[in-house]
Amino acid sequence: MKITISIALLLFLGIATGKASNLDTLSLQVSWQPIENNYLGKEQALSVITIKNSSNQALTATGWKLYFNFIRIMSANDERPAFDVTHVNGDLFYFKANANFSGLAIGEEVRYELISNSWLVNLNDSPQGFYLVWDDGRIQPLPKVKILPPVDEKKFYRVGGDAEESAEHIFKQNATIQQAGTSVKKIFPSPVEYQEHKGSFKISKATGIQFDAIFQKEVGLLQTELSALLGNSLPIHVSSQKAKNSIHFVSSPDLGKEAYRLEVKKEGITIEASAGAGAFYAIQSLKTLIDPAAYATERQTAIQIPCVSIYDEPRFGRRAFMLDVARNFQTKDQIKKLLDVMALYKLNTLHFHLNDDEGWRLEILALPELTSVGSQRGHLSGTDRSHLPASYGSGPVTGEHSGSGYYSRKDFIELLAYATARHIQIIPEIETPGHARAAIKSMQARHDRLLSEGKPEEARKYLLRDTSDRSVYRSVQKWNDNVMDVSMPSVYNFLEVVTEDIVSIYKEAGAYLETIHFGGDEVPQGVWEQSPSVERLLATDASVKSKDQLWDYFFNKVYHILAKHDLYLSGWEEVGLYKVTDANGKKSWGPNKAFNDRNIHLNVWNNLLGNEDLAYRLANAGYKVVLSFVNNFYMDMSYYKRFDEPGFYWGGFIGLDKPFSFIPYDYLKNQQKNYLGRQLSPKVLQESAKLTEAGKKNIVGIQALLWSETIKTPESMEFMVFPRVLAFAEKAWAKEAGWETQLDSLKADQAYRKSLGEFYAVLGKQELKRLDNYHGGFAYRIPSPGLAVIDGQVHANLELPGFTIRYTTDGTLPTAQSAVYSKPIPFKEGLQFSAFNEQGRSSQVSLVHSDN
């Protein structure tokens, strides 16, 4: 009997089923199943959509359209398909019945085989958000799509050896992790210097807090945190004299701004810092010394703090997290929760992606259409342009899904104040000139309103796109009208107003603003080619000699808009690039010398094929670089290749070890495979640019990122981010590890695996237990058990310690009451395993079954 092992995972669909008026009683169930990758020998995929009529009435042959979202361009795989498919824009399509369709009787179903460009890999490739629109205007959202896994796994491979991740492989990987001892370093992220001593200090209601006056705000936050644990506020007062049974904050000018010293003795605690930031980070370290169980208890008589001596400071000045709320919105309260956990793990920058093609999320008082139009998604019919179309399954009804929402000026001021108190700066991103459809359509709506009021000059003042432009292009996300026309003066009027409003918001909030991120990402080929406005600019402005210079023209203007407010420009890597052609005619990206001496900060995400050394080339050329690599730090990527594993994968699969293993100043040293897991060529490894000493000084930070195409709930956000972001936090704060610079590859690997095991121990035994209850608890991803069948016995293990493996023998899903796995058990068909935390929340399920 051949035994195989697989994993059955939970589906993360989050598809809107909102309400609409005048709903028809027709009930249709849509299912989708992928069939084959590399169909007909091309990089394309075959899949099937099945529509079943499960209602008590027939679906007529005409009189309706069936809308849905799908992230691939598609066509029928049938000479006589039942429906014609129309690509509306972006990821929005609709089916309309043709002469081959005669209706759908009760209980009947119809199949539509489709070919889509590129591969299909997991459930997030599925079509979603189906809704019917009747010719008389009635709208009916349909239930979420039923997603069926591929029948033939091998037909679903992309390339040779591209097998689905198995529980058996996970078991083997887990077995290579060096298990740390029962004792773990209690401060996290790891401090520069750490020493434990015997004994502990007891924080109780009698403990006082004394502080030098510069630390008053930080002490107030500590008092609030301890009050939540102890049930009452500790007395605080300004004093330079240390008293017994106290927590004493002392000003020490010799320390860096974010550095601190923390001394815990049996008689009290001393914290030294030169500024509020250092004191704040000392407080976070103090909090990680608290037993995680304390956060599960509402009231305690005392909190035991082990005696330690700490000196600490961060490795990188910018320790950033980027959150996209444009594709799918997150509430103000969820952002506060994120800021709290960022602060705990000493991240100091929230890069806030506030607009994109699918949404504008920040109220700008002078331009109300940005939110009245640009923050809402739903069905558009006829000439209706009151909101944006459905995207990423947001459905036909505005305001009832994460596709809709925005932060009022008051909300944003509140968030800025909240972040500032926690020593987090928020960098707002206004994506330009591409990824700007929400802004473009909002300003078109403003134009149409003012034109109808007889105000043509005012109407044109902030237009972002010339409606007579006939340029043909398609963005990566399939939009054909999402790029600002950079030749139009009204574009710069718009950017001036937005910049001025943002500056005033920060001023009112008392928040620090040093830069605005103006995007620059993914402008497609073909833009501006047939723009009358561009032709007028070329004819009247001698400084712009060709369309190739429009990029520099645009960002030069943006740079000077920001400079008027004493702000510097931030952008994605393309801002600092231009295309160069070698002797063989091959085009590639090179650093743009027009901007490299202007203190422009670039987030470099692209370290994929052909761009492995791009970040170093830009830093060496003089740009300030924030390392933001897709195959290390993109939290929206799947953990591994598995059909039911949520997340994208185009940048590779990112397990918990990917951020931890990153070597900032020599990242190809231990990252020698591409996004498909294939070995990079010796030529790439040998000839890639190395970071110069000058370039090293231009690496100003590192950043983790969460794009939100697949993130539709707070829980799904937390699942994708945690615990991976803790690996990132360790990399951002902790000092350089010895294995990063070890020249002996064998010794480096041994040291790395020991370090990884220690990190996993801290996560599983300490920090994830803290996150179970910290600020309401976090829905982090619990690792699935690895399984192996050895001599007829099923062995199980986990990537992280601290969880309980439970199993069932009858084919049902394990629960918190199922049998506990403590030793190998005899193989039996139908065994299922899950890992559980102390609250009874489970991992995805691992299965053992026979092929026979």
Side-chain angles (χ1 to χ4, degrees):
M1 177 178 67
K2 180 183 178 183
I3 296 172
T4 60
I5 301 170
S6 62
I7 302 176
L9 306 179
L10 301 177
L11 297 182
F12 279 65
L13 299 178
I15 294 173
T17 55
K19 299 176 181 177
S21 58
N22 302 317
L23 294 185
D24 198 279
T25 57
L26 189 71
S27 177
L28 299 178
Q29 176 63 59
V30 180
S31 64
W32 174 78
Q33 185 173 38
I35 306 298
E36 183 177 348
N37 278 323
N38 300 312
Y39 184 62
L40 300 178
K42 300 178 181 179
E43 191 178 315
Q44 60 185 16
L46 176 67
S47 61
V48 61
I49 294 173
T50 303
I51 303 169
K52 182 176 182 179
N53 185 358
S54 54
S55 62
N56 58 5
Q57 60 178 295
L59 173 65
T60 58
T62 59
W64 53 267
K65 293 177 182 176
L66 181 60
Y67 285 81
F68 60 96
N69 298 116
F70 188 49
I71 61 174
R72 302 278 188 269
I73 294 297
M74 59 176 288
S75 60
N77 186 46
D78 191 332
E79 293 182 357
R80 293 174 52 82
F83 312 122
D84 295 326
V85 63
T86 298
H87 177 221
V88 181
N89 211 342
D91 69 339
L92 184 63
F93 294 78
Y94 67 79
F95 284 143
K96 185 175 182 180
N98 58 34
N100 301 319
F101 182 71
S102 57
L104 203 60
I106 298 170
E108 192 177 17
E109 62 182 39
V110 58
R111 286 167 51 90
Y112 183 94
E113 286 195 359
L114 62 101
I115 299 173
S116 55
N117 65 326
S118 194
W119 297 309
L120 301 171
V121 169
N122 65 23
L123 58 90
N124 285 130
D125 290 323
S126 69
Q128 55 183 315
F130 282 80
Y131 63 93
L132 275 169
V133 177
W134 300 90
D135 289 355
D136 61 10
R138 290 172 298 150
I139 299 174
Q140 179 182 352
L142 300 185
K144 66 183 182 181
V145 178
K146 182 178 182 180
I147 299 177
L148 304 173
V151 174
D152 188 338
E153 180 184 311
K154 291 184 179 180
K155 285 186 177 181
F156 205 53
Y157 294 169
R158 298 168 295 172
V159 294
D162 191 33
E164 300 283 274
E165 183 65 285
S166 67
E168 184 176 35
H169 185 246
I170 292 173
F171 182 90
K172 291 177 181 177
Q173 286 190 316
N174 291 346
T176 68
I177 299 169
Q178 292 189 19
Q179 298 296 323
T182 56
S183 161
V184 297
K185 188 179 292 184
K186 297 178 177 63
I187 300 287
F188 183 82
S190 299
V192 174
E193 297 176 8
Y194 176 87
Q195 187 175 1
E196 292 188 10
H197 308 292
K198 292 182 178 180
S200 63
F201 172 68
K202 182 172 69 175
I203 301 176
S204 67
K205 297 176 182 179
T207 303
I209 305 177
Q210 298 173 291
F211 58 95
D212 288 349
I214 64 169
F215 302 125
Q216 185 162 0
K217 292 180 180 179
E218 290 70 34
V219 166
L221 287 174
L222 175 62
Q223 185 187 41
T224 299
E225 293 267 2
L226 293 177
S227 296
L229 296 174
L230 293 168
N232 70 299
S233 296
L234 303 185
I236 64 172
H237 59 279
V238 178
S239 175
S240 59
Q241 300 298 316
K242 184 177 181 179
K244 291 183 178 180
N245 192 22
S246 70
I247 304 171
H248 190 204
F249 289 80
V250 180
S251 176
S252 295
D254 63 305
L255 293 170
K257 179 182 176 182
E258 294 186 304
Y260 68 89
R261 282 188 285 264
L262 170 63
E263 186 82 23
V264 181
K265 296 183 177 180
K266 294 178 182 179
E267 59 271 17
I269 297 173
T270 301
I271 290 171
E272 297 180 44
S274 67
F280 181 80
Y281 294 130
I283 290 171
Q284 306 318 302
S285 291
L286 182 62
K287 285 159 59 178
T288 63
L289 287 170
I290 297 173
D291 189 328
Y295 291 94
T297 307
E298 290 188 4
R299 295 289 183 269
Q300 298 166 80
T301 57
I303 301 170
Q304 298 289 340
I305 306 293
C307 291
V308 294
S309 298
I310 306 293
Y311 167 74
D312 205 5
E313 62 180 346
R315 182 178 187 181
F316 289 101
R318 178 168 297 173
R319 307 174 299 281
F321 182 83
M322 191 225 73
L323 178 64
D324 165 21
V325 291
R327 275 55 176 273
N328 282 291
F329 185 69
Q330 294 287 342
T331 66
K332 178 181 67 176
D333 287 343
Q334 184 65 12
I335 302 304
K336 285 184 174 181
K337 187 178 180 184
L338 174 65
L339 290 168
D340 281 325
V341 79
M342 285 177 62
L344 177 64
Y345 296 119
K346 304 183 176 77
L347 304 183
N348 66 357
T349 304
L350 175 62
H351 173 173
F352 220 174
H353 189 82
L354 292 166
N355 76 293
D356 216 292
D357 299 320
E358 301 84 5
W360 181 286
R361 306 304 186 190
L362 177 62
E363 181 183 32
I364 301 295
L365 294 178
L367 303 171
E369 281 85 0
L370 283 174
T371 45
S372 65
V373 175
S375 76
Q376 303 295 307
R377 296 210 299 258
H379 178 68
L380 291 170
S381 59
T383 59
D384 180 16
R385 296 296 181 265
S386 61
H387 52 269
L388 302 178
S391 295
Y392 301 118
S394 56
V397 185
T398 60
E400 294 191 5
H401 185 272
S402 57
S404 298
Y406 70 94
Y407 307 108
S408 69
R409 182 183 176 98
K410 181 180 177 182
D411 289 337
F412 202 68
I413 288 171
E414 186 178 336
L415 287 175
L416 288 172
Y418 199 85
T420 299
R422 288 152 182 80
H423 294 274
I424 295 172
Q425 69 162 326
I426 294 180
I427 295 177
E429 180 181 357
I430 304 301
E431 182 73 80
T432 66
H435 283 280
R437 192 175 190 273
I440 290 169
K441 293 302 177 182
S442 296
M443 291 303 94
Q444 185 66 50
R446 176 188 180 276
H447 168 272
D448 295 348
R449 172 178 62 81
L450 290 170
L451 200 62
S452 69
E453 295 172 3
K455 303 174 182 178
E457 186 174 342
E458 179 65 17
R460 292 190 295 269
K461 189 173 182 180
Y462 301 117
L463 271 178
L464 301 178
R465 186 171 177 267
D466 188 341
T467 54
S468 60
D469 185 357
R470 296 295 178 262
S471 301
V472 177
Y473 61 87
R474 179 182 285 167
S475 74
V476 174
Q477 287 78 23
K478 317 300 185 293
W479 298 104
N480 60 19
D481 55 357
N482 74 331
V483 182
M484 296 177 179
D485 189 330
V486 300
S487 66
M488 297 170 62
S490 53
V491 167
Y492 305 100
N493 296 338
F494 171 83
L495 296 180
E496 286 267 16
V497 167
V498 170
T499 298
E500 289 171 1
D501 211 286
I502 288 174
V503 169
S504 72
I505 290 173
Y506 275 73
K507 184 176 181 180
E508 185 174 342
Y512 179 60
L513 179 67
E514 62 181 355
T515 185
I516 297 176
H517 197 292
F518 272 108
D521 194 29
E522 294 182 329
V523 173
Q525 294 291 324
V527 298
W528 313 319
E529 290 297 323
Q530 298 184 50
S531 163
S533 177
V534 168
E535 296 302 328
R536 287 193 296 271
L537 178 69
L538 292 173
T540 57
D541 190 334
S543 68
V544 186
K545 296 179 173 57
S546 71
K547 294 172 184 176
D548 291 339
Q549 294 180 327
L550 289 172
W551 190 253
D552 288 359
Y553 174 83
F554 174 73
F555 277 108
N556 183 60
K557 282 185 169 291
V558 172
Y559 173 86
H560 287 292
I561 288 172
L562 290 171
K564 287 193 298 185
H565 298 279
D566 295 321
L567 304 174
Y568 64 81
L569 171 62
S570 291
W572 299 105
E573 63 211 33
E574 288 95 327
V575 174
L577 295 175
Y578 78 111
K579 279 191 175 178
V580 295
T581 305
D582 63 19
N584 298 318
K586 182 180 179 182
K587 291 185 177 182
S588 61
W589 289 107
N592 187 349
K593 295 180 181 178
F595 297 143
N596 64 336
D597 60 351
R598 295 192 184 185
N599 188 36
I600 292 176
H601 290 222
L602 303 177
N603 289 94
V604 181
W605 64 265
N606 190 352
N607 63 335
L608 300 177
L609 186 63
N611 292 292
E612 291 87 356
D613 61 354
L614 182 58
Y616 288 172
R617 287 192 284 122
L618 285 165
N620 292 344
Y623 287 97
K624 305 299 183 186
V625 169
V626 181
L627 301 174
S628 312
F629 290 166
V630 57
N631 60 12
N632 294 95
F633 301 138
Y634 268 39
M635 303 284 128
D636 52 303
M637 296 292 121
S638 288
Y639 271 76
Y640 45 65
K641 185 180 185 294
R642 190 71 195 176
F643 181 72
D644 292 337
E645 182 73 21
F648 284 153
Y649 50 83
W650 59 267
F653 299 101
I654 302 179
L656 186 53
D657 61 321
K658 277 290 187 72
F660 186 83
S661 65
F662 182 67
I663 301 177
Y665 301 129
D666 191 11
Y667 54 80
L668 287 178
K669 179 180 178 181
N670 69 341
Q671 184 175 302
Q672 300 188 1
K673 295 183 179 181
N674 65 17
Y675 78 105
L676 287 170
R678 293 181 162 183
Q679 181 69 32
L680 295 175
S681 71
K683 183 177 180 181
V684 168
L685 297 174
Q686 293 165 11
E687 297 182 6
S688 292
K690 304 300 185 290
L691 194 62
T692 64
E693 284 303 312
K696 186 175 181 179
K697 293 177 182 177
N698 285 328
I699 304 295
V700 297
I702 63 175
Q703 176 167 287
L705 309 93
L706 183 71
W707 299 101
S708 70
E709 292 94 332
T710 66
I711 311 299
K712 300 174 184 178
T713 65
E715 293 77 16
S716 63
M717 182 185 95
E718 293 170 8
F719 179 92
M720 297 304 290
V721 171
F722 297 97
R724 283 187 291 199
V725 77
L726 275 67
F728 168 80
E730 174 76 0
K731 186 59 57 176
W733 180 275
K735 67 181 181 181
E736 183 177 73
W739 50 265
E740 293 184 28
T741 55
Q742 171 59 250
L743 297 178
D744 185 306
S745 59
L746 180 60
K747 290 181 179 179
D749 184 67
Q750 291 174 339
Y752 164 72
R753 294 195 177 280
K754 181 176 184 295
S755 179
L756 182 66
E758 291 171 351
F759 167 67
Y760 282 1
V762 171
L763 287 194
K765 296 178 181 180
Q766 180 173 297
E767 293 311 310
L768 293 184
K769 293 183 184 300
R770 192 184 317 279
L771 292 182
D772 281 331
N773 299 287
Y774 190 75
H775 286 259
F778 289 80
Y780 59 82
R781 183 183 187 275
I782 298 173
S784 298
L787 302 174
V789 178
I790 304 171
D791 297 329
Q793 298 284 305
V794 180
H795 296 244
N797 63 12
L798 284 173
E799 182 179 49
L800 301 176
F803 298 96
T804 301
I805 299 176
R806 296 179 181 273
Y807 67 95
T808 58
T809 61
D810 58 1
T812 61
L813 293 176
T815 69
Q817 286 72 48
S818 297
V820 174
Y821 171 85
S822 59
K823 61 181 181 180
I825 60 174
F827 169 78
K828 178 184 177 182
E829 193 72 48
L831 285 172
Q832 300 199 36
F833 293 76
S834 287
F836 289 79
N837 68 358
E838 293 173 355
Q839 284 66 41
R841 193 166 61 84
S842 67
S843 72
Q844 298 154 326
V845 177
S846 298
L847 306 175
V848 180
H849 61 86
S850 170
D851 281 348
N852 297 331

